[in-house]
Amino acid sequence: MATVSKRAGAGASTRNTIQRALVLEAVRSLHNHPTSADVYDVVRGKHPNISRATVYRNLGVLSERGEVLRVEVPNGADRYDFFNDPHYHAKCRVCGQIFDVDMPYCADLVSQVSDTHGFKIEGHEIIFDGVCVGCQASSPS
């Protein structure tokens, strides 16, 4: 009975691994910090029978495992980044695109916080707001 159980688990794991690989491939193919909907569209284009829930669930697993970075965007859809080392982002307030910011990650930034109100800070994410080059070029001002 235990052997059957292992086989069933291995089959499910293999299927999930294949689905996960498809989702990871889609994130890597989209170099513009895609939303989960963007990733779903790419995966569905290649594999029409995959469900939205499967793609979203696998994005969560990949994020939890550190294989992709989930960028939580205030007042917007979360984005996913294949470059998962800690780094900063900028968000265009006009078009909503997310960009990597080319600056060193300040791992000791937490040590500069003077009053945490008892909160134990475990990390940080910074998203700079502004207007991207494309939107600046198309703006009349």
Side-chain angles (χ1 to χ4, degrees), residues 82-141:
F82 66 94
F83 177 58
N84 55 8
D85 289 339
H87 62 284
Y88 303 118
H89 294 94
K91 177 185 175 201
C92 178
R93 69 172 168 77
V94 177
C95 68
Q97 286 190 78
I98 302 291
F99 301 89
D100 289 332
V101 172
D102 186 17
M103 68 178 277
Y105 184 78
C106 186
D108 69 338
L109 185 61
V110 173
S111 68
Q112 298 177 37
V113 177
S114 60
D115 184 4
T116 63
H117 304 281
F119 191 85
K120 181 183 176 188
I121 298 175
E122 298 174 339
H124 69 279
E125 298 176 28
I126 296 176
I127 299 179
F128 296 95
D129 293 315
V131 180
C132 72
V133 172
C135 290
Q136 290 176 47
S138 65
S139 175
S141 53

